[in-house]
Amino acid sequence: MADAVLKLAYEVSRVTEEKVALIDDVMRRTGVLALNARLEAARAGTAGAAFAVVAQEMGSLAGDIRAISGDLREAVANNIEKLQSAGSQIQFELRGERFADLARSAVEIIDRNLYERSCDVRWWATDSAVVDALANGDGRSLRFASERLATILRSYTVYLDLWVADRKGRIVTTGRPDIYSSAVGADVSGTEWFQKGMATTSGDDFAVCDIQRSPMLGSAAVASYSTAIRAGGARDGERLGALGIFFDWAPQAQAIVEGIGLTGEERESSRVMLLSSKNLVLASSDSNGMLTETYGLRHEERGRGYYRTADRIVAFARTPGYETYRGLGWWGCIEQVQRLDE
């Protein structure tokens, strides 16, 4: 609707200018004729006196019409400018609201996905094979736990690996020892995921870290979830160690930012992003800046909104969280470069 209003305003402006220019041309020619008529009347002397009066009136009439034409051009131009301004504002607000909704949709989709990850880590930490790997610590228990983790990974393809660490922070078994061979035996006691996982107060709790690259997982970007593995798999059991699960971030997040419902034309001029609470680019539809670019989002403490810069519109929405997953304060963000006529 706003696009139609703007196109109509531009067309009215064009047609008005064209027609007023034609009137100006006719009046210019009329003025020239009136001048010539007065000259001829002057040559005719008294015989041309009456005609001189007519010529004078023709000149006056041409002047009046030129004045009216000028007033019309000015009035139309002023109102067209107001109409264009109103149409541009309507277009900006409609697009801003729509993009803000799409930005929220992007961050909601990823948080719903990550909520499932929080469920996975709490569930798998109670698996008897995982608990026995730490409770017994013998080779047979560790191998069985590894086989169990490998079975999970074959079904849940969004994970790179699953690690079991003892209470000292040494990884004792994993689901993919053949692929990530440096993991088993590694000391992870200083890592955020292990420390937060061991600090959980019950089996109902979990820990999540912002997206980071993991050297032991081929420097892949991962979302790390963890919780304590407890004696007997009990909710309040003694903490034996921690389970860490590592979500393969890049392909999952890329599919979300590329799949947001923009038109083909909008997609060509837009960038859809997921941003951390500190505006670090976590994913971008143009595949640029992941974990290296800090985007200059101006949310001004608003949880949702949009604004305009010199040549673009930026819409944003903060995650509302999902179920028991409160999220990490991430943002969905859409930036669109504007055409000069918008």
Side-chain angles (χ1 to χ4, degrees), residues 165-179:
D166 63 23
R167 57 167 55 94
K168 293 182 179 181
R170 183 178 66 89
I171 298 176
V172 296
T173 191
T174 72
R176 287 180 171 150
D178 53 332
I179 299 177

Side-chain angles (χ1 to χ4, degrees), residues 177-235:
D178 53 332
I179 299 177
Y180 304 109
S181 56
S182 65
V184 175
D187 180 1
V188 294
S189 59
T191 61
E192 184 182 11
W193 72 264
F194 175 78
Q195 292 177 356
K196 285 185 172 181
M198 286 296 290
T200 53
T201 57
S202 80
D204 294 334
D205 298 329
F206 68 93
V208 56
C209 306
D210 255 322
I211 309 304
Q212 299 173 343
R213 293 195 179 277
S214 172
M216 290 195 298
L217 293 170
S219 294
V222 295
S224 305
Y225 286 75
S226 59
T227 193
I229 299 169
R230 299 175 182 275
R235 177 178 178 275

